[in-house]
Amino acid sequence: MNDANAIEVAGVPTSALNCIDLSSSDIQQSVSLLKQACLDSGFFYVINHGISQDLMEEVFVQSRRFFGLPLSEKMKLLRNEKHRGYTPLFDQVLDPANQIHGDYKEGYYIGVELPEEDSGAQKPHFGPNLWPSEDVLPRWRQAMEQFGSQALNVAKVVARIIALALDLEADFFDKPEILGKPFPILRLLHYEGLISDPSKGIYGAGAHSDFGFITLLATDDVLGLQICKNKDAKPQAWEYVQPLKGAFIVNLGDMLERWSNCIFRSTLHRVIGNGQERYSIAFFLDPNHDCLIECLPTCMSEENPPKFPPILCQTYLAQRYYDTHADLDVYRSEGA
Ligand code: OGA
Ligand code: NI
């Protein structure tokens, strides 16, 4: 957070985020850097996370290949009720109060693969994924599954550092009832080469905070992500987050804010298009669907009692997804 080094892009400052080196043996230093970042901006970089540069590059290549298909091919894999598959341009509206259309982005959701006949597939958001055919996109599924499983490991390591930063045992979130059956979602994103215009309500992605526990974001080298450290400030002050090759940009979601009784805050962010095409890959980690999100033991005291009632992870997430996505009926009425 060395503001003396901050540079500006088109009049917008860039944020100097703390960098957590997962290969470091100095765990105390990592905890302290992470804690400082969580109290300051809710965003930090994670480097030396163990996923090879080849695999990071391959998922971007595969993502480009998918979004490069004709729209009619992509619509064959349109998002289903389980929130798997393709989300077309404008499908999501993250900031309805300030946007005239939905987000200028297309996406693809991949979740935990569960066969239809598995009893677990009854739950909302659980079931089989939609996959492009191997003939159209060879090795696509393999690359996504490999990346998803490695990103899950990285997220679990980050969760251990978060636990320590909250004065919990390192393995607090590793408990079977919390991350025993985690609920990760991989989301490929493609922003068209559009120029955003906040004054007209046109954004790559509208201002939002993420819904869940933590998010790992890999981006290409095109600038676009902006954060607002103080969501209550008026007017809001935005800063760019610079892409960092090979790193993940990690941020905390609303569920962790609620869980930690607002000690750790989720941070408002948005994507501003500058005319260049941009690709990013988000990995959202959430706990077991039946995990009860109730104030963490180290985040309450007599002076600071829990601010929120306990809520099931699945109830919380289902509502947030429903609130921000188009009704699937709009595509049916378009004859898609
Ligand atoms: C998101 C998000 C940012 C980006 O998907 O929640 O904030 O850079 N993405 O794509
Ligand atoms: Ni986000």
Side-chain angles (χ1 to χ4, degrees):
M1 343 227 142
N2 187 350
D3 286 340
N5 289 339
I7 48 165
E8 289 194 355
V9 179
V12 179
T14 57
S15 200
L17 300 183
N18 277 2
C19 202
I20 317 296
D21 181 347
L22 292 193
S23 70
S24 161
S25 53
D26 188 348
I27 185 73
Q28 276 323 314
Q29 190 198 26
S30 301
V31 171
S32 134
L33 283 171
L34 180 141
K35 187 168 181 175
Q36 200 187 8
C38 291
L39 297 172
D40 175 61
S41 63
F43 269 78
F44 49 91
Y45 296 112
V46 162
I47 57 165
N48 294 326
H49 43 64
I51 303 185
S52 72
Q53 196 56 38
D54 281 356
L55 181 56
M56 298 289 278
E57 276 164 24
E58 167 152 26
V59 282
F60 276 94
V61 168
Q62 296 288 12
S63 173
R64 282 195 181 87
R65 288 173 63 202
F66 173 78
F67 290 118
L69 294 173
L71 184 61
S72 56
E73 277 297 313
K74 293 185 280 193
M75 287 304 272
K76 290 181 190 160
L77 296 161
L78 178 68
R79 164 173 74 85
N80 60 21
E81 278 81 4
K82 299 278 183 187
H83 268 276
R84 306 298 174 86
Y86 176 60
T87 56
L89 222 53
F90 309 135
D91 183 64
Q92 193 170 35
V93 194
L94 282 165
D95 183 15
N98 291 304
Q99 285 179 275
I100 48 161
H101 300 293
D103 294 353
Y104 271 84
K105 67 176 192 219
E106 43 179 0
Y108 201 90
Y109 281 116
I110 301 166
V112 180
E113 181 74 31
L114 267 191
E116 202 96 61
E117 55 282 7
D118 191 299
S119 59
Q122 309 301 326
K123 297 180 298 229
H125 287 235
F126 283 77
N129 283 303
L130 298 178
W131 298 109
S133 92
E134 191 64 26
D135 301 339
V136 180
L137 294 179
R139 271 195 51 77
W140 201 86
R141 173 174 178 170
Q142 217 179 323
M144 295 307 155
E145 290 189 324
Q146 199 180 356
F147 179 75
S149 84
Q150 295 194 21
L152 176 59
N153 291 337
V154 175
K156 284 181 164 178
V157 174
V158 174
R160 294 179 140 243
I161 307 175
I162 291 177
L164 290 170
L166 286 169
D167 296 323
L168 298 161
E169 296 292 320
D171 57 1
F172 181 90
F173 295 113
D174 291 327
K175 292 195 188 83
E177 66 274 22
I178 300 184
L179 287 177
K181 284 194 213 136
F183 177 43
I185 294 176
L186 185 62
R187 190 175 193 200
L188 312 177
L189 293 162
H190 172 221
Y191 298 87
E192 299 216 330
L194 177 106
I195 301 183
S196 294
D197 187 346
S199 71
K200 294 211 176 80
I202 298 171
Y203 297 92
H208 67 284
S209 45
D210 291 350
F211 314 152
F213 177 45
I214 51 173
T215 306
L216 270 49
L217 182 78
T219 71
D220 64 11
D221 54 9
V222 177
L223 197 66
L225 178 65
Q226 294 186 341
I227 62 173
C228 169
K229 288 184 188 170
N230 180 357
K231 35 189 165 198
D232 304 319
K234 286 200 175 69
Q236 288 172 335
W238 292 92
E239 297 173 17
Y240 273 113
V241 173
Q242 291 275 9
L244 183 61
K245 197 174 167 60
F248 282 114
I249 296 164
V250 179
N251 65 291
L252 313 181
D254 300 335
M255 193 189 291
L256 181 55
E257 175 174 297
R258 181 179 174 126
W259 220 348
S260 71
N261 215 14
C262 299
I263 289 181
F264 280 1
R265 306 299 298 266
S266 58
T267 304
L268 216 51
H269 53 284
R270 65 185 188 184
V271 176
I272 296 293
N274 67 358
Q276 278 172 287
E277 221 180 352
R278 179 172 179 273
Y279 292 85
S280 66
I281 300 175
F283 178 85
F284 304 102
L285 179 63
D286 293 305
N288 301 7
H289 78 287
D290 56 357
C291 174
L292 193 65
I293 308 300
E294 61 181 334
C295 185
L296 293 165
T298 51
C299 298
M300 58 175 152
S301 63
E302 229 158 83
E303 305 80 67
N304 187 23
K307 295 181 175 49
F308 310 96
I311 190 169
L312 280 182
C313 173
Q314 61 179 353
T315 314
Y316 184 76
L317 285 179
Q319 191 59 43
R320 297 297 305 272
Y321 273 84
Y322 178 81
D323 287 346
T324 60
H325 284 80
D327 189 326
L328 282 170
D329 284 344
V330 300
Y331 301 109
R332 287 184 194 110
S333 61
E334 283 168 3

